[in-house]
Each structure stands twice: as structure tokens, then as C-alpha cells.
Amino acid sequence: MDSNSSKNNAGRLSEPGRVHSRFASLAAAEYGLSSAAAPATHQPEKKIRLVSEAQGGMDRSCHQEVFTVGEGEHLDITFIVLPGTSAEIPVTVDITGPGAEVELKGIYLSSGTDNVTFDITMNHRVGGSISRQLFNGLATDKAKCAFNGKIIVAQDAQKTEAYQENHNIVLSDDATVDTKPQLEIYADDVKCSHGATVGKLNEDEQFYMRSRGIPEDEAKVLQMISFVAPVLAGIEDEDLTAKIENAIRSL
Amino acid sequence: MSLLKITGLRAGIGDKEILKGIDLEIGPGEIHAVMGPNGAGKSTLSAVLTGKPDYEVTAGTIEFMGRNLLEMKPEERAWAGLFMSFQYPIEIPGVSITNFMKTAINSKRKSEGLGPIKGGDFLKLMKEKMALVQMKPEFAKREVNVGFSGGEKKRNEIFQMAMLDPVLAILDETDSGLDVDALKIVADGVNALHTPEKSAIVITHYQKLLEYVKPDKVHILKDGKIVAEGGRELIDKIESDGFEQF
């Protein structure tokens, strides 16, 4: 399956400028790369979860996350799974008030015998809020990745907007990706959508780049970097983005 | 020494043989036109020259600057100075024109044992070549060909050609889908790059571009073979009596 559509779709649903510049107050414990001082009200507070424990094929760590997002609150969180990681990542977001905005994103770079599963539950308990999910994955060797994305919209949660996208690129014959979007919508005045793609790196793009003197491996790296770029937009930590680029080169 | 020497080339795709024995020689500083009706083998010829996957050469040789072209990877052919302006340039979402050109230039430099191009030098080069092809400065940030009109894509091809400064430029049906103004920009770009050492092959169905880029020699390709060769008078012959006369 040609991946042109996946690359065109990946990430166009949320533009960097739109993402939240409010501090999200959350009930759940926070760890990870948040800044030491409490951010000012108008500063963007992007939470990053770096999942990078080296694991053998059978041994999987579990990274359970539960977030409660109340009225007018914002949650902006990006998961980054690096190669050499096997993990189960169940994430639940409970939206309990109107005017809330949730941006849930992730990239997973899987190689060897990595086994990575995301179980997302986006729970719109009340209406008038918006959630966006964007998860892009690259799988090679014998990696197994799964994305289970559930959106639940309660019966009275009118004027909910809930969007989900999961795009995957498979780099080897033995890597597998399972993507399962689920929508349980009980309200009738909502805007919800989901999209999932699984494909390969586009060979016509590679040939075009090679005809300009860009070697095959470098062309693929460019494609992979641009594939994850929409998810990483707005991340300013240069050490982190360099780490991600190196991880991509290692795939 | 000829720049490009094609001898007895037979090539096709899958089971289908499309080129049935082509001989073609191009010297330094020459502009050649390869004209022919649809299905003649023009696309196959450019695919074989650039090393496009899926195309198979079943017989013959191609020498480029004295080297065996068919043994070279597409990127190696680019480093050796071959460039093709594609008929249908592909979109590369997420990669800016600036990043694309910088990576291409640095890849070539690396193959020559040089370090990456200096930031200032690169910016200067970009500015100069964008002006040459009348490309607006904001295009530098645009993703390669994404959302470009046909004319803008062709202009981008000529821009890349100017940036990479090839020894042999192949223009693949460049004049299809261009209005007269864009046609002139393509022609001006090509003519500016044409020097006594550099050559070009214009592969085309129509003679319109050849009014602006005047070839030294014309080859007529039909049913996979070169059926006629001559000077510019051949273009007039096609204009009046079509390809059927050959």
C-alpha cells in the first residue's frame, strides 16, 4: 500500500500554532521532562513522555497514565517510544468539563523484537470539549506494534469534537502493525473522525531524491523524519529531537 | 570524447521490449532533441538513463564521460553530472526545497571527499538560482512540489538543475503543460546552463520548446528505434507531415 496518503494525512489535523498555550492542571502525578518552575499561564506546557527502556522481547514494562481534564483545562502530551523498547502504554483521558482541549500525540520507533502497544481511551464524559490524537509509528525487523484507540462520547456529551489519526510505516517484511480505532458515540450532536493507515515508504519519492544525488539510505531517513515531524512540531528540546533523529537513522 | 554514447540499447519493462536497438552519441556543448510519437520509447529512454527501477536493459551499452552508466546507481549518476527534469515531478511532503537542495549538494560533496557546503555560500547560491528562474523567495520554505501548479513544478525542476549544475541535462517532455511564459523561463534556464562543455537532451513530443532551445541535432524515435537523424529541418518536416512519414 502506497504511503503517500499516510504521509499527507499524518499530522495535518493539528497545526503547531493552534496547540495550547495554557498550563494544564491535572490530578495525576507528573514525571518526565516538564520544566522546573511552574510555567506562566500563557506559556505552552508540552508534556513529553519518553519511553525508552531497553527490553528483551518478552519483558514489557507498563506505563499506565490516567488524566482528568476539567472545565477549560488543556492537556498536551506527546509519547516517544524509542527503538529497543517493549512496552504496554495504557492511557486514559477523562474529560469532565466543557471547553477543555486535549492533544494526545505519540511516535513509536520499533525494531528488533520490540513489542509496543498503545491503549488509548479518550473519554468525553461531558460535552463542549475537543480532543485530538495523532500517533505515527515506524516498525522494522520483527517488531510488533499495536494501536488501540478508543473514543467514548457519553450520551449527554453534545458538541463534542474528537479526532484520531494513526499512521504506520512498515520497513521490513516481518514487522507487523495492528491498528484498531474504536468509536463509541452515544451523543448525536458531535464531530468525530478517525483515520488509520499502514504503508511503506514511497519508492517514487526515493527515486526522485536519488536522481538528485541523495543516496538511498539518506533518502529514506529524510522520508522518516518528515513522517514523524507533524507529531514532534512544537518540541523545542533539541537534545530530544537529535536523539529521535539518531534513533531513526538506526532503524 | 563524447559525453554520452549509447550503443545497441535494448530495454523494456517486464516482458515488453520497448527500445529495440538505439545508437546515440552526444558530444560536449551539444543540444540534441529526441522527438517521437506517444509509445515510441521516449519515457523508457529517460528511465534507462536515470536508472529508474523496474526498467530492464537487455542489450547494449551506455557510456557517460567514459564510465559504464548502467553500472551506476541513480545517485552516482547524479554525482557524475547527469540530471533529469521529470515530466511529472513528484511531491515530497515534509521536505522543504531548501533542505532538499542542501542534502543533495552535500551528498555530492561527500562523494568527492569534501565537507558540507558553508551556510553563507549555500544561501547565496539559492538566491542566485532562484532569481535565475524567477522563483519567488518564499518557495524556499515550501515542501518540494506540494501543491505546486504544473508550471511551478517545471520551474522547480529547472531551479534544481541550476543548483546542481550538471554536465548533461535531460529534459523529459518539459514543454507539456506549460504556458508560453513558463516555457520561456524553462528555455532561458536551460540556455543559461548550456556552455561548450555542457550538453542537453530535450525529449519531446511537441516542437514548441525547440523554438526557444535550438537543438544542434534531432533524432526521431519511433517504435523503439531511431528512424531518422538530422538538423533542425527535421522539426519543420514533423510540423508539416507528422511522424507517419518516417
Side-chain angles (χ1 to χ4, degrees), chain A residues 7-8 12 202 204-205 207-216 218 222 226, chain B residues 50 52 74-75 78-79 83-84 86 90 93-94 100 104 107 143 145 157 160:
Chain A
K7 285 182 70 202
N8 283 327
R12 302 306 179 236
N202 184 304
D204 289 335
E205 287 174 14
F207 176 63
Y208 187 68
M209 288 194 259
R210 293 177 76 182
S211 77
R212 272 55 180 145
I214 298 175
E216 189 174 5
E218 190 62 33
L222 272 182
S226 74
Chain B
T50 50
K52 193 167 183 194
E75 53 268 39
W79 299 336
F83 178 92
M84 184 159 95
F86 286 78
I90 201 160
F100 186 50
S107 298
E143 297 164 88
N145 295 326
E157 293 295 284
Q160 292 175 37

Side-chain angles (χ1 to χ4, degrees), chain A residues 6-33:
Chain A
S6 87
K7 285 182 70 202
N8 283 327
N9 291 333
R12 302 306 179 236
L13 100 157
S14 78
E15 290 128 15
R18 283 175 77 195
V19 176
H20 327 305
S21 357
R22 314 259 186 104
F23 176 65
S25 65
L26 304 169
E30 289 166 28
Y31 53 94
L33 308 176

Side-chain angles (χ1 to χ4, degrees), chain B residues 6-72:
Chain B
I6 302 175
T7 314
L9 181 70
R10 302 183 91 99
I13 193 165
D15 283 333
K16 194 166 179 219
E17 187 182 61
I18 299 168
L19 296 177
K20 301 181 164 102
I22 305 279
D23 295 309
L24 192 78
E25 204 171 326
I26 301 179
E30 293 173 11
I31 296 184
H32 288 233
V34 175
M35 302 183 73
N38 284 332
K42 302 193 297 296
S43 306
T44 304
L45 179 60
S46 46
V48 169
L49 285 170
T50 50
K52 193 167 183 194
D54 299 332
Y55 285 83
E56 233 184 280
V57 171
T58 48
T61 59
I62 304 182
E63 250 183 56
F64 178 56
M65 313 260 280
R67 293 171 65 181
N68 184 346
L69 187 74
L70 297 173
E71 276 181 0
M72 294 162 72

